[in-house]
Amino acid sequence: LVLAALAAYALAGALRPGTSGRAFVAAVAAVAAVELFVQGERLTRFGPPAELAPDTPLLRFLRNQPGPFRVVGEGTALFPGSNVFARLEDVRTHDPAERRDYVEFLDRTAGYRPADYFKKIANVNAPSLDFLNVKYLIAAPGRASPGPKWQPAYSGADGTLFENASVLPRVVGPAAISEYAETTDTVSFRASAPAGAPAPVVAS
């Protein structure tokens, strides 16, 4: 209907001598603006920004925990990138300008397919998550602990939260490097934990 109306307007202007093309351009702009507004209102409704990421008991629980710390969402429990609305630091990425070396590090150490649009951590028990200061795992409601290091911290209708008993501080210096190996493609090291307990390989 919009295209037909514009075509009729253009035809009428062409048949009328001396008609200015500026009026036709203005009419096209006005009709396009109205159409975009109508279509946009159908696809995206207006409302308070708070409704984009509504607060939940799980998020309130996390905000009450001492920081700093990072989180990781399991599967679709937390879409990568939506963590910014909840003011959480997720180690996953969802950005066309993401760092390639960081994504490759996650893929090599925890299973994180770079080619996927919605990238997921395949191994939430990977030691590299400890190294990245991941203190909490956000999972679906009713989820059982995926491993010994994940201790239940919250369970509700909005999700399940596990606390990492092996998390390392945001900045940590190992007591000693006990093994070191380097090839043309990778560098691996094994570090002693700050408390003296053996730590697994955290980088590869």
Side-chain angles (χ1 to χ4, degrees):
L1 291 176
V2 172
L3 292 176
L6 290 176
Y9 186 90
L11 181 61
L15 296 176
R16 186 180 307 163
T19 302
S20 172
R22 293 182 179 180
F24 176 69
V25 173
V28 170
V31 171
V34 171
E35 183 193 21
L36 287 174
F37 179 82
V38 172
Q39 297 295 340
E41 191 178 33
R42 178 177 61 85
L43 298 173
T44 306
R45 64 184 178 86
F46 291 96
E51 292 184 2
L52 183 63
D55 201 12
T56 68
L58 186 149
L59 296 179
R60 287 194 292 271
F61 176 88
L62 282 173
R63 281 201 299 273
N64 290 329
Q65 305 311 305
F69 59 82
R70 295 188 176 101
V71 302
V72 65
E74 183 181 37
T76 58
L78 181 66
F79 191 88
S82 64
N83 55 290
V84 296
F85 300 108
R87 300 190 296 278
L88 296 174
E89 296 183 42
D90 191 347
V91 294
R92 299 173 301 166
T93 61
H94 189 66
D95 191 334
E98 62 197 4
R99 288 185 61 98
R100 178 179 177 181
D101 53 356
Y102 175 72
V103 172
E104 290 177 345
F105 168 79
L106 278 181
D107 186 37
R108 290 179 180 178
T109 60
Y112 194 67
R113 291 169 52 87
D116 290 348
Y117 174 76
F118 182 176
K119 294 188 283 293
K120 307 178 184 69
I121 296 289
N123 181 15
V124 295
N125 293 303
S128 58
L129 298 182
D130 310 338
F131 176 69
L132 292 174
N133 188 227
V134 175
K135 188 176 182 181
Y136 293 100
L137 168 67
I138 302 175
R143 171 74 156 101
S145 174
K149 72 177 181 180
W150 295 109
Q151 306 300 318
Y154 170 88
S155 180
D158 55 340
T160 307
L161 199 64
F162 298 98
E163 184 173 354
N164 185 2
S166 304
V167 64
L168 293 174
R170 181 66 60 92
V171 179
V172 58
I177 301 295
S178 58
E179 293 181 19
Y180 177 82
E182 182 174 357
T183 67
T184 56
D185 298 322
T186 63
V187 175
S188 300
F189 64 88
R190 187 182 302 274
S192 300
V201 173
V202 294
S204 176

